[in-house]
Structure formats: structure tokens, C-alpha cells
């Protein structure tokens, strides 16, 4: 048996995080979906998954470190029951009837309470929502135990699944996320969920979570942002620079006399909409202006503002 640490390419004192990263890298490399028809890659993927299954579990890892062996992957159970007078395959009918009744059962001894569908949160940035992206989604799911195959008399003595008939394994899918997604949007991936005896395989439900952005808040396909300008800029007008999600520089003209709370709409500079073919198929950027009240004035500034105050109060005539 190959050393599990060598399989994952990590030292024996590797942390859980290092082991997880090593597994994800190798699982992505050898995943059957990326190596169709490649038996060597398939075997390597199983090898990597088996190693990770042991090393991610503190109890299994401790046992493995002590003995240097792990019996959970031996295909010995069929051999164990092969010499029985009724034969190994005689369990098949019992197994099928048992599983058929299991799906709606909640307290059958020997089986955990299982849920068909798996829900997994996926966090996307506004930039990723704007352009669309393909990402690897890692998760865990339950499969039929490859050793005991869920056959009850064998299952009770199965060290691979601890007598549960199903086994929790780490896996991943490569998923394309289109433009125009929004928070709490659910994407259903059929047949990628848990195995439940007596029922079809469940689905993987990806729940979109939109990450907070340092510059924008999302409202539909519009992006909300704010900009603080000085009192002189508000009074006299100015041009400010703004950057959209695509790193494009936008020059925004501020008219003289603008007030705090004024909203300026930059059309077509927001998020891309589904089936986007141009700027007109985008939302807008809504820029909210805030005028900063000056503080900690120096002497010259105070004198200027006192002069302005006198003008406002019409105490002296305005001269050119």
C-alpha cells in the first residue's frame, strides 16, 4: 500500500489546511470529468480521494499514523461471504427491498438519517457577476460504500463506512456561472447530491452569495456609489474621476452649486444583464454626492469664510 502522505505529496506533520489544499490540487488534476476514458487518471483520483478521506479525519489519521495501514479500502467483504451456502448474491433481493423502504424511514438502526440534496454557498465578486466565470466548487457528498455496497450483514462489519452503508467523500465540480446572477439565486446541478438507498441520487444546489465590494453596492443591475467633494468644488463645480467594474476611467462633471445627496446617473456603466451585447444592455452607476463641511480651518481659510458669510448676509456689497 502506498503511503497516504506520499500520495498527497505532504509531510507527515502537515496541517489540515495543507492536506486539504494538496488534495484539491490533485483531485482537480485527476478528476474523471477532465480525463474521460483515462483509467490511470481514474485510479489516481480514487487513490488521492482515499488518502484524503483518511488524513482529513483525526481518528482515522491517528490510527493510520500508528499502524501505517488502513483497512477501509479492502474489497474483502465479498470474499468473506463467498463461501456461505446461500452465496453472496442471495443478499441482493433483501438489500433491494430493504433500501426501497429506507427512503421514508427515519429511525432504521444501522443507517444514518440522510438528505438527498446538498446545499453549497458559492461566493462571487461583482466583477465575476459582471463578466461570468468558471470556478471549481469543492464539497462533500455521500456515496454507496464501495466495499459493503450497503448489504446489511456485510455492512455491519464494514470498516470503510463504519456500518452505515454509505460513505462521505470529498469531490468537486467545475461550474460555469453566467452574468446577471444575484444574491440567494439557486443553481441546481442534477445528480450531484447524496446517494440515499432506495431513492435516486440527489442534487447539488449552489446558492449564490454576492461579496461586498469596497466601492459599489448592488441594486438590481445598478451599482450605487458615493463621492465626497469639498465645499469649493461644490460651489464652483469640478470634474471627478470614477472607475467602473471594468477598470475604465470615467470623468464625471460636477455642476456648480451641487448639493449633498444629489444623485448623478451614469447610464450603461452598471452590471451586465443576461444576453448582454453592448453598453445599453447594462445597468447604471448611481453616484451620490456628499459635500464635506470643512473643519480645522487655518487662519487664511477662516478669513475667507468670514468674508463669504458677510456676503451671504448682504452686509457688504459684492464687488468684482
Amino acid at each position: 500500500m502506498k503511503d497516504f502522505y506520499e500520495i498527497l505529496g505532504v509531510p507527515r506533520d502537515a496541517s489540515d489546511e495543507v492536506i486539504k489544499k494538496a488534495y484539491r490540487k490533485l483531485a482537480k488534476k485527476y478528476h474523471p470529468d477532465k480525463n474521460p476514458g483515462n483509467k490511470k487518471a481514474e485510479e489516481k483520483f480514487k487513490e488521492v480521494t482515499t488518502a484524503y478521506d483518511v488524513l482529513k479525519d483525526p481518528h482515522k489519521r491517528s490510527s493510520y499514523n500508528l499502524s501505517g495501514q488502513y483497512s477501509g479500502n479492502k474489497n474483502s467483504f465479498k470474499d468473506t461471504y463467498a463461501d456461505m451456502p446461500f452465496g453472496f448474491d442471495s443478499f441482493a433481493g433483501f438489500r433491494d427491498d430493504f433500501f426501497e423502504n429506507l427512503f421514508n424511514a427515519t429511525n432504521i438502526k444501522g443507517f444514518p438519517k440522510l438528505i438527498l440534496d446538498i446545499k453549497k454557498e458559492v461566493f462571487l465578486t461583482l466583477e465575476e457577476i459582471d463578466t461570468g466565470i468558471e470556478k471549481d466548487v469543492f464539497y462533500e457528498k455521500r456515496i454507496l460504500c464501495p466495499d459493503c455496497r450497503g448489504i446489511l450483514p456485510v455492512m455491519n462489519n464494514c470498516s470503510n463506512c463504519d456500518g452505515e452503508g454509505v460513505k462521505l467523500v470529498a469531490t468537486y465540480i467545475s461550474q460555469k456561472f453566467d452574468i446577471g446572477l444575484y444574491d440567494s439565486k439557486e443553481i441546481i446541478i442534477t445528480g450531484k447530491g447524496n446517494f440515499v438507498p432506495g431513492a435516486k441520487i440527489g442534487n447539488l444546489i449552489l446558492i449564490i452569495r454576492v461579496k461586498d465590494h469596497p466601492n459599489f453596492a448592488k441594486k438590481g443591475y445598478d451599482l450605487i456609489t458615493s463621492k465626497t467633494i469639498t465645499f469649493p468644488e461644490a460651489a464652483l463645480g469640478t470634474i471627478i474621476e470614477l472607475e467602473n467594474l471594468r477598470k475604465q476611467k470615467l470623468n464625471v462633471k460636477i455642476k456648480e452649486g451641487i448639493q449633498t445627496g444629489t444623485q448623478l446617473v451614469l447610464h450603461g456603466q452598471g452590471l451586465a444583464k443576461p444576453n448582454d451585447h453592448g453598453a445599453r444592455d447594462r445597468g447604471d452607476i448611481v453616484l451620490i454626492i456628499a459635500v464635506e463641511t470643512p473643519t480645522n480651518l487655518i487662519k487664511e481659510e477662516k478669513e475667507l469664510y468670514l468674508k463669504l458669510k458677510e456676503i451671504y448676509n448682504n452686509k457688504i456689497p459684492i464687488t468684482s
Side-chain angles (χ1 to χ4, degrees), residues 195-262:
F195 168 81
V196 173
K200 64 181 181 179
I201 296 177
N203 301 324
L204 173 63
I205 302 174
L206 303 180
I207 304 172
I208 300 301
R209 298 297 182 206
V210 180
K211 293 182 179 180
D212 290 337
H213 194 277
N215 300 324
F216 296 106
K218 180 178 180 294
K219 185 176 182 181
Y221 296 111
D222 293 339
L223 297 173
I224 315 300
T225 189
S226 63
K227 186 74 173 179
T228 300
I229 62 176
T230 65
F231 181 81
E233 289 174 328
L236 302 175
T238 187
I239 294 178
I240 60 176
E241 188 178 84
L242 191 67
E243 187 176 83
N244 63 20
L245 287 179
R246 300 177 298 286
K247 305 299 182 182
Q248 296 171 334
K249 304 293 185 181
L250 307 174
N251 290 321
V252 183
K253 183 178 181 180
I254 304 297
K255 293 182 179 180
E256 61 183 46
I258 197 167
Q259 301 295 308
T260 289
T262 299

Side-chain angles (χ1 to χ4, degrees), residues 39 47 78 88-89 130 150 194 207 210-211 224 275 297:
K39 294 295 182 182
E47 190 177 69
K78 185 171 183 177
F88 181 80
D89 292 333
D130 187 53
N194 286 318
I207 304 172
V210 180
K211 293 182 179 180
I224 315 300
N275 301 317
L297 298 175

